[in-house]
């Protein structure tokens, strides 16, 4: 690309992109859908629509690259941006036949954000820009509709003063409401031209008073202010929170779209709406949308008026007129266009439109956000419709979103008291204590409480509260309102537009059917039906439908990585098998030691002063461990089961408070003083790097001997019944090949002893965890003694980064927000650092022992991004908690397909 350089205010040299303003109009667009990175989603799709012959008001996009220049220049629009913008504006004027700032026939524009990934409602928008004391008269004449002109002007002042001048918008809102009260009006549309003129004057006075600045009358001054405000909105706290939640890099920046206005508020032959080409909640193949007559786009999304359904069928259910009936011609065009768009993008679209005097205009199309349930249904239907291939279906699905489907729903048989019914905006069944502000939601969540955020309507300011809440409830707004769209995107239960409930922010109450609920009272939401219940309603485990099963089958065909589970109890093992786990990748045996029936025997073993005493205590544990393993082997029915020998430091098993020490001494008949001093002696300053893992067995080999015996005896029982089983015994926290050599031989001796005693033979594997950097970089020597490796990436992350996995949470947030880490390294593997240890160890291990089986059992084994990395390294399997098994199956399939694309 040709570039030129300039020197910025701060004196640094800036490289100016040769082109950064892209025009769009019917048959004359410079962009297309493939240019999302520089035009943002909105700009790229507006350009694409014009090429498809779809009516789009002309305009232009300032590229996302300028966002970085804006911040580099200290939050100011660089001077060199202006000439290209002015030139593009001239071109828009030419297309429309109106001039920006012209007194008799003014061109008005909208100024909107649009990033590469959609961030609904998180950034700013300004409509009706270009109106001033003179152009408003011109608009009144040219439209022959003074009321419309003055209403647009008062809206513009409200929006601009809020977004660009930083004024609290509620002040103007209150002024408007006061006037309506005084005149006894019900609706905004009751305001007369004189009322609106009066409001405009009043608003401007208030702006002057509150901001100390005069509301700009010059159209271009308005324009530069609006462009800057949109770039600024990329870095508002709410946008940052949203980006963090959805892993959107700060460096992407937003584009700015400047587009000639069309008006849905020109009277009863005008309207505005948003629609989805399929139902975003269920995935059903039905055109689905909402509209408002005589309104502007923001009225629909903001949820200020509850909009009406577009189709006759949906409207009949709600008992209100539809767009299909009210404006049949425009509706017909809309249907043709939505079908064309869905066919073109081969995905469900979320569209925005405006009808100006019966003429339809499209203002946006994008792939629609949807619930996980809808995503699966749409993917399956589109495969059947031959719109997409099976591989494309897999690539489109977000593995993490499956989590939504695995959550409980309300028990249909439970006793319930229905309070009200709103719109089923986002599914799930949740209960919590009601709070009325996002601040309370965050505060109570931090105190460990479950909360439901109750709002009249939500706005982007509420985002932190929405994240903190179990579920969201609103009394206004439709299925496309802010609350509904954002909740759906988060996979959070939401009931919206529940008009029969009266919410009073001042009193902090919600009233319905004679009930008055206060802050802290419990309600339950059913996001699938829209019902709200008093108190807590029982939930049941989810049932997975046929679309889910079908997608999982496709994923299983495609993926290379096997998916196992981390499970220590029969219940977990069974859940994981039901979710398709192909074995156990990690059974943490220490969890089995905490049972009430055995913890005291474990403590006796720890307190033993001689080998004999220790063996006596271990003998008590042996039968219990044997049963534990037998149960797991039975459930896994021939699938591989990896059992890790004892790992944590022993002090974790002994009591710490004086009261507990006294009680234990009494129970096991042990001298209290001796017990107290023994507990003290077990104390370590840094237990994570202390006497744990295989180091326990170097000092107390009897512990591992007992565990190996229990495994071998349990396996013998199974093998005697004629079943096949290959137990995998895993030694943790190995640093050197010598440790493994020693403990492998201990294991082999014990297994063979049992085989002889039981007179059975079975295959078994002895492997190790790779959890320490030294083990990773000497993996060739370690592989000499290992039948398999399993990366314990929790400890490997801790030890490679020198970051305590228990304490780092306190400051890791700052590392992520300041960009030092792109993600929390305990959640998503640090590919460059820890990842290269994984890669190196795998390569070294397999060089020394070709075909060495390698897996991962740290938390990263269930994280889709990490799975993509493990696939690229060529691991054999990942192992994760039972509820993440389906997520890992889908993520592994995506990883395989993405890997194929790269090669
Ligand atoms: C690990 O360290 O990644 C691991 C799986 O072991 P644990 O979490 O039990 O230390
Ligand atoms: Mg570990």
């Amino acid at each position: 690309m040709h570039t030129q350089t300039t020197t910025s205010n701060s004196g640094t040299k800036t490289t100016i992109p040769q082109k950064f303003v892209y025009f769009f109009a019917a048959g004359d667009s410079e962009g297309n859908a493939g240019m999302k990175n520089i035009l943002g989603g909105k700009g790229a799709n507006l350009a694409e629509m014009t090429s498809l012959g779809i009516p789009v008001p002309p305009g232009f996009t300032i590229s996302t690259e300028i966002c970085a220049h804006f911040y580099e220049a200290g939050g100011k629009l660089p001077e060199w941006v202006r000439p290209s913008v002015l030139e593009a504006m001239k071109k828009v004027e030419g297309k429309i036949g109106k001039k920006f700032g012209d007194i008799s026939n003014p061109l008005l524009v909208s100024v909107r954000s649009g990033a590469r990934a959609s961030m609904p409602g998180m950034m700013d928008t300004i409509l009706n820009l270009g109106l001033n004391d003179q152009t408003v008269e011109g608009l009144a004449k040219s439209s022959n509709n003074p009321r419309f002109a003055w209403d647009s002007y008062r809206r513009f002042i409200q929006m601009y003063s809020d977004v660009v001048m930083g004024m609290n918008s509620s002040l103007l809102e209150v002024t408007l409401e006061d006037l309506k009260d005084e005149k006894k009006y019900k609706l905004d549309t009751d305001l007369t031209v004189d009322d609106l003129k009066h409001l405009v004057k009043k608003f401007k006075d208030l702006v002057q008073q509150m901001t100390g600045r005069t509301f700009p009358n010059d159209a271009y001054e308005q324009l530069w202010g609006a462009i800057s405000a949109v770039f600024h909105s990329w870095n508002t706290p709410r946008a940052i929170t949203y980006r963090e939640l959805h892993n959107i890099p700060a460096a992407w920046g937003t584009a700015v779209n400047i587009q000639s206005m069309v008006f849905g508020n020109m009277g009863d032959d005008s309207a505005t709406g948003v629609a989805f080409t399929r139902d975003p909640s269920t995935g059903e193949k039905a055109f689905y949308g909402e509209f408002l007559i005589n309104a502007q786009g923001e009225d629909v999304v903001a949820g200020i008026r509850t909009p009406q359904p577009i189709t006759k069928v949906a409207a009949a259910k709600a008992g209100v007129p539809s767009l299909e009936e009210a404006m049949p011609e425009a509706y017909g065009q809309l249907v043709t266009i939505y079908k064309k768009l869905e066919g073109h993008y081969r995905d469900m679209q979320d569209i925005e439109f405006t009808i100006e005097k019966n003429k339809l205009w499209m203002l946006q199309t994008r792939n629609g956000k949807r619930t996980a349930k809808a995503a699966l249904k749409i993917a399956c239907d589109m495969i059947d419709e031959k719109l997409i291939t099976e591989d494309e279906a897999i690539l489109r699905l977000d593995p993490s979103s499956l989590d939504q489907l695995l959550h409980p729903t309300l028990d249909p048989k439970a006793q319930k008291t229905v309070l009200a019914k709103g719109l089923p905006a986002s599914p799930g069944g949740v209960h919590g204590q009601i709070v009325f502000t996002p601040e309370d939601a965050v505060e109570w969540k931090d105190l460990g409480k479950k909360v439901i955020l109750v709002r009249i309507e939500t706005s982007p300011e509420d985002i932190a509260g929405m994240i903190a809440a179990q579920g969201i409830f609103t009394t206004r707004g439709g299925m496309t309102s802010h609350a509904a769209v954002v909740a759906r995107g988060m996979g959070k239960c939401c009931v919206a537009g529940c008009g029969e409930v009266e919410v009073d922010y001042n009193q902090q109450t919600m009233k319905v059917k004679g009930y008055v609920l206060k802050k802290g009272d419990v309600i339950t939401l059913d996001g699938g039906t829209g019902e709200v219940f008093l108190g807590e309603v029982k939930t049941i485990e989810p049932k997975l439908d046929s679309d889910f099963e079908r997608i999982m089958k496709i994923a299983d065909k495609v993926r290379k990585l096997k998916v196992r589970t981390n499970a220590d109890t029969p219940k977990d093992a069974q859940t994981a098998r039901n979710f398709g786990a192909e074995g156990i990748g990690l059974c943490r045996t220490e969890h089995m030691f905490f049972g009430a029936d055995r913890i005291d025997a474990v403590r006796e073993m720890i307190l033993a002063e001689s080998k004999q005493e220790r063996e006596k205590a271990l003998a008590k544990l042996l039968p219990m461990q044997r049963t534990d393993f037998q149960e797991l082997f039975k459930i896994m029915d021939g699938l591989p089961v990896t059992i890790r020998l004892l790992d944590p430091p022993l002090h974790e098993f002994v009591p710490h408070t004086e009261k507990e020490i006294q009680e234990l001494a009494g129970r096991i008949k042990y001298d209290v003083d001796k017990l107290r001093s023994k507990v003290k002696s077990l104390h370590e300053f840094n237990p994570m790097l202390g006497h744990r893992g295989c180091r326990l067995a170097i000092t107390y080999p009897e512990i591992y001997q007992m565990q190996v015996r229990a495994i071998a005896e349990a396996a013998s029982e199974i093998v005697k019944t004629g079943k096949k089983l290959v137990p995998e015994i895993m030694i943790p926290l190995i640093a050197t090949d010598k440790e493994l050599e020693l403990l492998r031989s201990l294991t082999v001796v014990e297994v063979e002893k049992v085989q002889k005693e039981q007179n059975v033979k079975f295959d078994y594997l002895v492997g190790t965890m790779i959890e320490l950097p030294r083990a990773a970089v000497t993996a060739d020597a370690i592989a000499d003694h290992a039948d398999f490796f399993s990366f314990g990436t929790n400890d490997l992350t801790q030890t490679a980064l020198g970051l305590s996995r228990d304490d780092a949470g306190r400051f890791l947030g700052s590392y992520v927000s300041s960009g030092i880490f792109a993600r929390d390294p305990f959640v998503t593997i640090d590919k460059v650092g820890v990842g290269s240890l994984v890669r190196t160890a795998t390569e070294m291990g397999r060089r020394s022992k070709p075909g060495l089986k390698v897996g991962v059992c740290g938390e990263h084994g269930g994280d889709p991004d990490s799975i993509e990395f493990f696939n690229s390294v060529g691991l054999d399997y990942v192992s994760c908690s039972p509820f993440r098994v389906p997520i890992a199956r889908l993520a592994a399939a995506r990883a395989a397909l993405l890997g194929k694309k790269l090669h």
Side-chain angles (χ1 to χ4, degrees):
M1 190 203 277
H2 297 266
T3 52
Q4 83 190 75
T5 52
T6 183
T7 307
S8 75
N9 300 348
S10 58
T12 49
K13 285 232 176 317
T14 306
T15 306
I16 301 175
Q18 194 208 18
K19 184 165 178 64
F20 51 86
V21 171
Y22 293 79
F23 187 75
F24 58 82
D28 189 10
S29 290
E30 296 173 319
N32 60 55
M35 293 165 70
K36 284 202 176 76
N37 292 3
I38 54 166
L39 299 183
K42 187 178 284 154
N45 287 331
L46 283 170
E48 184 82 7
M49 282 199 286
T50 60
S51 313
L52 293 173
I54 289 172
V56 170
F60 57 92
T61 305
I62 306 175
S63 84
T64 55
E65 295 157 288
I66 302 305
C67 194
H69 287 285
F70 175 84
Y71 284 103
E72 235 171 60
K76 283 202 188 78
L77 193 68
E79 282 301 320
W80 50 262
V81 173
R82 296 187 185 211
S84 304
V85 171
L86 294 176
E87 198 184 310
M89 200 61 146
K90 288 265 156 317
K91 215 167 156 187
V92 177
E93 289 175 343
K95 290 278 174 195
I96 297 275
K98 295 180 186 176
K99 272 181 90 119
F100 189 57
D102 184 62
I103 295 175
S104 54
N105 192 13
L107 164 68
L108 303 186
V109 295
S110 64
V111 180
R112 290 170 177 250
S113 57
R116 204 190 291 191
S118 94
M119 296 170 55
M122 291 300 131
M123 290 184 290
D124 285 331
T125 284
I126 295 130
L127 303 180
N128 306 330
L129 192 130
L131 277 173
N132 59 25
D133 292 348
Q134 292 74 43
T135 55
V136 67
E137 301 286 7
L139 182 67
K141 271 204 205 97
S142 64
S143 65
N144 204 11
N145 189 342
R147 198 200 164 278
F148 148 74
W150 283 92
D151 187 47
S152 301
Y153 193 22
R154 74 93 193 151
R155 285 168 182 266
F156 170 58
I157 299 172
Q158 271 182 279
M159 246 184 178
Y160 194 92
S161 60
D162 173 26
V163 172
V164 184
M165 303 178 79
M167 173 148 159
N168 184 345
S169 59
S170 56
L171 198 61
L172 303 189
E173 195 66 52
V174 168
T175 311
L176 185 141
E177 291 301 323
D178 283 352
L179 181 71
K180 272 163 64 186
D181 285 352
E182 188 190 312
K183 302 254 172 169
K184 306 211 164 28
Y185 296 153
K186 277 210 180 82
L187 302 171
D188 291 1
T189 39
D190 295 336
L191 293 162
T192 64
V193 174
D194 284 341
D195 295 331
L196 292 163
K197 283 184 176 171
H198 167 76
L199 278 177
V200 161
K201 170 142 192 357
K202 194 113 201 242
F203 281 3
K204 288 173 86 176
D205 290 347
L206 280 169
V207 170
Q208 180 79 49
Q209 261 174 43
M210 301 307 294
T211 66
R213 286 188 288 156
T214 308
F215 191 87
N217 201 54
D218 178 75
Y220 277 100
E221 191 186 337
Q222 293 173 358
L223 180 67
W224 305 128
I227 294 172
S228 292
V230 170
F231 280 135
H232 257 303
S233 70
W234 176 249
N235 267 349
T236 56
R238 68 180 189 231
I240 293 172
T241 309
Y242 187 92
R243 283 207 298 272
E244 280 170 4
L245 188 69
H246 291 88
N247 295 312
I248 299 172
W252 282 3
T254 182
V256 182
N257 298 290
I258 291 145
Q259 189 176 22
S260 44
M261 286 292 303
V262 282
F263 297 96
N265 57 335
M266 270 203 161
D268 287 346
D269 53 0
S270 302
T272 188
V274 292
F276 291 91
T277 57
R278 302 189 186 210
D279 187 322
S281 205
T282 63
E284 194 198 339
K285 191 177 178 189
F287 188 41
Y288 183 90
E290 294 164 332
F291 78 109
L292 280 171
I293 290 202
N294 199 10
Q296 284 205 319
E298 302 316 296
D299 300 341
V300 183
V301 231
I304 291 166
R305 279 162 63 187
T306 297
Q308 297 150 231
I310 286 182
T311 60
K312 207 151 88 182
V313 189
K317 278 191 219 150
V320 289
S322 66
L323 182 73
E324 191 173 352
E325 292 148 303
M327 300 182 182
E329 211 172 298
Y331 174 79
Q333 288 167 25
L334 187 62
V335 169
T336 312
I337 288 174
Y338 98 70
K339 289 188 174 157
K340 190 173 195 172
L341 285 172
E342 191 179 271
H344 180 72
Y345 286 97
R346 302 184 307 123
D347 201 351
M348 185 263 267
Q349 296 297 294
D350 165 358
I351 55 183
E352 269 182 41
F353 64 90
T354 282
I355 299 166
E356 180 183 296
K357 292 185 166 292
N358 287 319
K359 161 123 184 74
L360 175 72
W361 294 94
M362 300 307 293
L363 300 182
Q364 167 149 307
T365 189
R366 60 184 168 193
N367 293 341
K369 294 215 181 292
R370 61 205 79 178
T371 62
K373 185 179 162 56
L376 292 176
K377 172 149 179 61
I378 291 170
C380 288
D381 286 352
M382 287 190 171
I383 295 171
D384 292 338
E385 290 160 29
K386 306 229 168 339
L387 215 50
I388 59 173
T389 63
E390 289 189 342
D391 286 0
E392 281 172 314
I394 294 290
L395 283 171
R396 259 186 205 180
L397 294 165
D398 169 12
S400 308
S401 73
L402 294 183
D403 198 32
Q404 288 174 33
L405 300 175
L406 311 171
H407 286 316
T409 49
L410 298 188
D411 181 353
K413 293 200 211 94
Q415 285 277 340
K416 309 181 189 86
T417 310
V418 183
L419 286 175
K421 191 162 190 273
L423 300 168
S426 183
V430 294
H431 73 270
Q433 293 178 276
I434 56 173
V435 290
F436 297 87
T437 65
E439 293 78 20
D440 281 347
V442 172
E443 200 182 314
W444 283 31
K445 156 95 192 305
D446 289 345
L447 294 172
K449 297 183 184 183
K450 287 183 170 169
V451 298
I452 304 282
L453 181 61
V454 173
R455 302 288 287 163
I456 295 173
E457 71 229 31
T458 63
S459 79
E461 263 88 46
D462 295 342
I463 188 86
M466 295 172 81
I467 294 171
Q470 301 288 312
I472 296 142
F473 171 88
T474 67
T475 56
R476 282 202 211 147
M479 292 291 276
T480 48
S481 62
H482 176 266
V485 172
V486 174
R488 226 175 272 136
M490 289 181 187
K492 197 151 276 200
C493 171
C494 175
V495 171
C498 190
E500 48 181 319
V501 174
E502 192 189 317
V503 166
D504 184 332
Y505 286 150
N506 289 330
Q507 303 287 324
Q508 304 244 324
T509 55
M510 63 187 274
K511 291 190 198 152
V512 62
K513 294 192 182 126
Y515 291 96
V516 181
L517 302 183
K518 294 186 295 301
K519 180 174 158 185
D521 289 344
V522 175
I523 61 167
T524 299
L525 302 181
D526 186 337
T529 62
E531 285 168 305
V532 186
F533 306 98
L534 187 64
E536 178 184 342
V537 177
K538 245 179 74 193
T539 53
I540 48 167
E541 289 307 314
K543 262 220 183 74
L544 298 169
D545 64 11
S546 58
D547 295 325
F548 177 89
E549 298 299 345
R550 180 171 173 194
I551 291 293
M552 283 296 129
K553 270 209 190 99
I554 299 173
D556 291 347
K557 268 197 307 202
V558 174
R559 70 189 158 91
K560 302 235 166 26
L561 281 168
K562 295 244 176 232
V563 177
R564 297 196 192 180
T565 190
N566 295 355
D568 336 305
T569 64
K571 183 166 177 268
D572 281 356
Q574 191 58 58
T575 308
R577 269 217 75 175
N578 298 346
F579 284 145
E582 296 164 297
I584 290 181
L586 172 64
C587 165
R588 293 178 163 105
T589 50
E590 59 270 19
H591 292 171
M592 298 166 157
F593 282 14
F594 281 104
D597 55 337
R598 52 186 81 176
I599 183 71
D600 283 351
V602 174
R603 289 163 171 167
E604 282 176 44
M605 181 264 290
I606 294 169
L607 298 169
E609 305 222 301
S610 66
K611 190 166 156 66
Q612 281 87 338
E613 262 183 54
R614 199 162 18 258
E615 281 175 344
K616 215 169 106 201
L618 285 166
K620 287 192 198 167
L621 289 170
L622 175 69
M624 302 189 214
Q625 281 266 269
R626 187 169 52 223
T627 319
D628 293 335
F629 300 139
Q630 252 166 4
E631 284 182 34
L632 291 183
F633 290 153
K634 274 191 199 139
I635 291 168
M636 297 320 280
D637 196 20
L639 294 173
V641 176
T642 309
I643 297 168
R644 177 177 77 186
L645 304 183
L646 199 65
D647 182 45
L650 296 180
H651 85 104
E652 283 193 10
F653 299 98
V654 294
H656 291 98
T657 66
E658 182 57 28
K659 187 165 170 261
E660 287 168 342
I661 291 176
Q662 304 244 2
E663 281 171 3
L664 177 65
R667 264 201 323 270
I668 63 169
K669 311 209 174 7
Y670 201 89
D671 182 73
V672 182
D673 293 334
K674 239 167 87 183
L675 178 57
R676 206 179 290 117
S677 77
K678 186 81 190 182
V679 167
K680 218 168 155 196
S681 75
L682 284 171
H683 172 80
E684 291 179 292
F685 284 109
N686 199 345
M688 269 296 174
L689 300 179
H691 196 197
R692 60 167 286 214
C694 67
R695 299 162 196 172
L696 293 171
I698 299 293
T699 35
Y700 307 124
E702 316 76 68
I703 302 179
Y704 277 16
Q705 263 159 359
M706 179 281 286
Q707 290 196 295
V708 170
R709 170 163 284 271
I711 295 168
E713 288 182 357
S716 302
E717 291 292 317
I718 303 277
V719 172
K720 277 185 201 164
T721 64
K723 295 217 156 135
K724 230 183 108 47
L725 173 73
V726 183
E728 302 183 355
I729 300 170
M730 182 156 79
I731 319 253
L733 215 76
I734 286 288
T736 71
D737 55 316
K738 279 272 179 286
E739 288 166 318
L740 189 60
E741 186 180 7
L742 212 76
L743 295 173
R744 178 186 181 94
S745 112
L746 171 151
T747 305
V748 170
V749 167
E750 198 63 27
V751 174
E752 286 178 1
K753 229 195 263 173
V754 173
Q755 289 192 336
K756 224 187 235 145
E757 287 164 18
Q758 302 283 331
N759 198 21
V760 285
K761 267 269 169 238
F762 53 83
D763 291 333
Y764 62 98
L765 305 179
V766 184
T768 183
M769 294 187 77
I770 304 286
E771 298 174 280
L772 298 174
R774 191 186 190 285
V777 297
T778 58
D780 47 353
I782 288 177
D784 284 343
H785 311 291
D787 300 322
F788 64 88
F789 282 174
S790 176
F791 287 100
T793 45
N794 304 332
D795 273 313
L796 193 58
T797 299
Q798 163 166 268
T799 50
L801 292 167
L803 267 182
S804 160
R805 60 195 267 197
D806 302 310
D807 301 319
R810 286 191 221 147
F811 59 86
L812 268 183
S814 320
Y815 266 67
V816 175
S817 56
S818 61
I820 299 173
F821 290 146
R823 310 273 283 275
D824 178 339
F826 288 105
V827 174
T828 297
I829 192 116
D830 154 40
K831 294 189 191 76
V832 182
V834 181
S836 49
L837 287 172
V838 169
R839 194 183 287 277
T840 305
T842 305
E843 284 167 7
M844 287 173 81
R846 286 191 177 147
R847 222 177 294 133
S848 142
K849 187 172 276 180
L852 179 77
K853 183 152 70 165
V854 184
V856 57
C857 63
E859 282 306 296
H860 305 88
D863 169 63
D865 282 350
S866 310
I867 290 172
E868 198 183 326
F869 173 76
F870 299 135
N871 182 74
S872 76
V873 173
L875 298 196
D876 296 298
Y877 68 87
V878 293
S879 187
C880 56
S881 57
F883 279 91
R884 285 164 97 185
V885 167
I887 296 172
R889 285 162 75 191
L890 182 55
R894 281 175 59 87
L897 292 171
L898 290 169
K900 233 178 11 194
K901 264 191 179 173
L902 283 178
H903 289 107

